[in-house]
Amino acid sequence: MEEKHKIFLVLVILFGVLLRLWNIHADPTLWLDEVFSAQMAESPLRDLVLAVPRFDTHPPLYYLQLHVWSLLGEGDYWMLLNSVLLDVLVILSLFHIAGRHWGRPAGLWVAAVYAVLPLNVFFAQNLRMYALFFLELVWLWHMLELRVRAGRASGGTRGGTVLLGLATTLTHGMGFFVVFFVYFQALVRIWRLHHAAQGLRPAMLLVLDYVPVALAAGYSLGIGSFRRTEGITGLDLAGLGTHLTITLFGMEFPAPAVSGYLGVLLLLLPPLWKARSRGIMLWLVLLPAVTMILLTLTVKSVFMYRTLGLFTPFMALSMGIFYATLWQGHSVQGRALSVLTIAVLVLASLNSSLAFRKEGYRDMALLWDREAAPDAVLFVDGSVNLWGIARYLPDAPRISALEVQPPVRDGMLALKRKLEGGYFDRAGLFGRSDHLQAGPRQIWPYLAPERLEGLPTYWILGQEKTACPRPGDQLLREFETPGKWLGECGTPGG
């Protein structure tokens, strides 16, 4: 491998790592989903285990890992550092794994591509489960790849496959979907490569090892069956293009409705030209993407950049192997394509990092603390918004995720009645209080007309401007921060 070539790739990897660190330094605040993660992780362990299925579609493994991390430090930056360090481990793992299977040049190319894929840079600055999920996923793929190539599996390899399959499935709500394709492609390849020589044994052992993993998928499937999911709601080509753009080029990329389709042509289709990179791109990127679109159109909305982004380690594997092959071929055009693509990804990840800012709660919490009266009452929409504001109020107590909840309704109300008087009821599964007392101030996670009685003025927090809910009241003051609106309502002069 040429020395200049090696230095170039190492510099690309270093750029990706430094960009991740810069992002959490420049924007060390938490937005909606991140506040949820922090609240889960910083709750007592028993409350954490109860609160995750109570509030979330995702399984509990990530929150348990983050809980351990939170015991070692505190503050937003410390929490965000967890994601960055896990993602750096993904980069190192891809370098090692790709290098073991295809040689060190391929390992460097794969690590470099992953390091500057804009969506992975974005995921690494978020307090969510993506980095942990990717770390588990690439090692699961590696263990299965060893079994495919050898046509057999030792006890340790089988045990590692099962444990990693369970961990990946129990880290993200769509983990079972990704794991299915990883196992399925391994099963097909084992059958093709070793069926004639060794019969059904390798394939049957793989199916047997998948059984406990498939059973673990019941958690996410059960929770997801009655929770709302996000994604495109129909065959909206502009919306589909926008999600593809975010997946391939990150946030705030120009012309998002069409750029995603161009990104497919530039990034995802060229690796199909080479045998070494074709299988990974077909089985672990394109096929799952098409399947998600079909599920979205026929069953439930699941296609969006966050779900398609679960396959980005395989995009990096396929693209990196492809570029390493082009470079080894000494083709001027091939080398130019590989360098050009890396340059585009570097610029796109830099653009995403500079242009995108989280719609955090810190500024709004400090603003309300400054502007509101000492005995003010604030109404927000849901527990997560309450957690977000309370996290940055100087006099707000630290509370468990189960502590303050709005009243439940519909199917959850029926479940509450069934559990009344039992362990889950006594443990506070449905809340121990209906509002937070922050000094003399109150924060309510819901708005009900009876709560407004006797209040001369009150505050409303929302994503956008809203009318005062009590008849006869007027908007006295209003404030805005990115993604948040705050208004004070009451009777003028009252």
Side-chain angles (χ1 to χ4, degrees):
M1 187 177 187
E2 301 167 12
E3 194 66 26
K4 291 182 180 180
H5 175 201
K6 185 188 301 184
I7 293 174
F8 166 71
L9 294 176
V10 170
L11 288 176
V12 170
I13 295 170
L14 183 61
F15 169 82
V17 172
L18 292 177
L19 189 58
R20 285 161 169 78
L21 291 169
W22 181 82
N23 281 338
I24 65 169
H25 174 76
D27 196 14
T29 187
L30 306 184
W31 65 345
L32 193 67
D33 289 346
E34 295 177 292
V35 164
F36 184 95
S37 297
Q39 190 68 35
M40 294 295 115
E42 293 173 349
S43 295
L45 189 58
R46 186 189 70 165
D47 286 4
L48 184 160
V49 173
L50 293 175
V52 171
R54 166 72 178 88
F55 291 109
D56 201 16
T57 58
H58 296 293
L61 189 58
Y62 167 70
Y63 302 114
L64 292 171
Q65 180 271 324
L66 193 62
H67 175 78
V68 175
W69 178 263
S70 71
L71 299 177
L72 305 176
E74 59 182 16
D76 291 356
Y77 184 85
W78 173 256
M79 298 296 279
L80 290 166
L81 188 62
N82 180 70
S83 295
V84 172
L85 294 181
L86 286 171
D87 209 50
V88 171
L89 288 178
V90 178
I91 295 173
L92 295 175
S93 297
L94 284 170
F95 167 69
H96 170 75
I97 289 169
R100 178 168 176 176
H101 292 297
W102 292 283
R104 179 159 292 189
L108 278 173
W109 273 106
V110 170
V113 171
Y114 181 91
V116 292
L117 272 176
L119 189 60
N120 294 116
V121 177
F122 172 78
F123 282 153
Q125 76 179 74
N126 278 261
L127 193 65
R128 296 298 284 162
M129 65 282 300
Y130 297 98
L132 177 62
F133 178 81
F134 293 150
L135 185 62
E136 296 160 347
L137 182 64
V138 297
W139 282 100
L140 171 64
W141 176 86
H142 170 62
M143 300 293 282
L144 287 170
E145 187 69 13
L146 292 177
R147 295 177 67 164
V148 169
R149 295 189 177 208
R152 53 186 171 79
S154 66
T157 305
R158 291 188 64 193
T161 302
V162 173
L163 289 176
L164 286 166
L166 289 171
T168 311
T169 300
L170 294 175
T171 296
H172 191 281
M174 285 289 286
F176 72 93
F177 182 81
V178 182
V179 169
F180 168 80
F181 282 95
V182 178
Y183 269 89
F184 183 61
Q185 62 87 30
L187 179 64
V188 172
R189 291 171 60 216
I190 283 178
W191 180 267
R192 287 178 176 176
L193 292 174
H194 305 288
H195 171 60
Q198 300 182 23
L200 293 175
R201 181 175 172 77
M204 292 302 296
L205 286 178
L206 187 62
V207 172
L208 185 63
D209 293 344
Y210 179 65
V211 170
V213 179
L215 292 175
Y219 179 97
S220 295
L221 288 169
I223 297 290
S225 65
F226 62 87
R227 289 198 187 276
R228 183 176 61 87
T229 56
E230 295 182 80
I232 60 174
T233 56
L235 192 57
D236 174 10
L237 295 180
L240 181 63
T242 298
H243 284 289
L244 287 171
T245 298
I246 297 174
T247 302
L248 300 176
F249 297 126
M251 301 292 180
E252 309 297 336
F253 197 81
V258 297
S259 295
Y261 297 109
L262 298 177
V264 171
L265 296 176
L266 175 65
L267 303 180
L268 303 187
L269 295 188
L272 299 179
W273 299 344
K274 299 292 183 179
R276 290 207 305 175
S277 54
R278 183 184 305 128
I280 297 174
M281 185 62 73
L282 279 174
W283 284 100
L284 295 175
V285 179
L286 298 179
L287 180 60
V290 172
T291 303
M292 278 195 288
I293 293 175
L294 293 176
L295 289 173
T296 291
L297 297 178
T298 59
V299 181
K300 194 170 188 177
S301 177
V302 294
F303 185 94
M304 66 178 307
Y305 73 90
R306 285 198 292 261
T307 50
L308 186 57
L310 297 177
F311 295 90
T312 51
F314 301 123
M315 294 182 194
L317 268 170
S318 182
M319 291 164 61
I321 295 164
F322 174 65
Y323 301 142
T325 304
L326 292 181
W327 201 268
Q328 290 170 357
H330 301 287
S331 165
V332 175
Q333 294 87 346
R335 291 187 173 192
L337 175 63
S338 59
V339 173
L340 173 63
T341 305
I342 290 291
V344 169
L345 292 177
V346 166
L347 292 175
S349 60
L350 186 60
N351 170 74
S352 180
S353 297
L354 293 175
F356 179 80
R357 281 293 173 265
K358 299 176 184 178
E359 299 173 353
Y361 290 92
R362 184 193 301 272
D363 292 342
M364 185 56 79
L366 296 179
L367 189 154
W368 186 69
D369 183 59
R370 184 184 72 236
E371 296 291 333
D375 58 348
V377 177
L378 173 66
F379 295 95
V380 302
D381 183 16
S383 299
V384 178
N385 287 308
L386 180 144
W387 299 337
I389 290 296
R391 184 174 184 84
Y392 300 105
L393 286 178
D395 56 351
R398 282 297 179 93
I399 58 173
S400 159
L402 295 178
E403 190 70 32
V404 179
Q405 298 177 33
V408 293
R409 58 175 187 247
D410 303 330
M412 199 64 71
L413 179 59
L415 179 61
K416 180 181 179 181
R417 288 169 178 163
K418 289 181 181 179
L419 299 176
E420 191 170 356
Y423 168 78
F424 293 105
D425 186 30
R426 295 194 304 272
L429 181 65
F430 296 101
R432 305 181 185 111
S433 176
D434 56 1
H435 74 282
L436 175 67
Q437 195 73 39
R441 293 170 171 165
Q442 294 182 2
I443 308 176
W444 293 79
Y446 70 104
L447 178 63
E450 62 270 17
R451 303 300 179 191
L452 302 176
E453 294 180 6
L455 294 177
T457 63
Y458 54 92
W459 294 79
I460 303 291
L461 174 72
Q463 303 300 113
E464 55 187 23
K465 185 174 181 178
T466 184
C468 293
R470 189 169 63 184
D473 286 346
Q474 296 182 19
L475 186 63
L476 305 179
R477 290 188 290 171
E478 62 177 317
F479 305 90
E480 287 189 76
T481 61
K484 303 287 184 294
W485 177 87
L486 179 69
E488 184 181 22
C489 293
T491 304

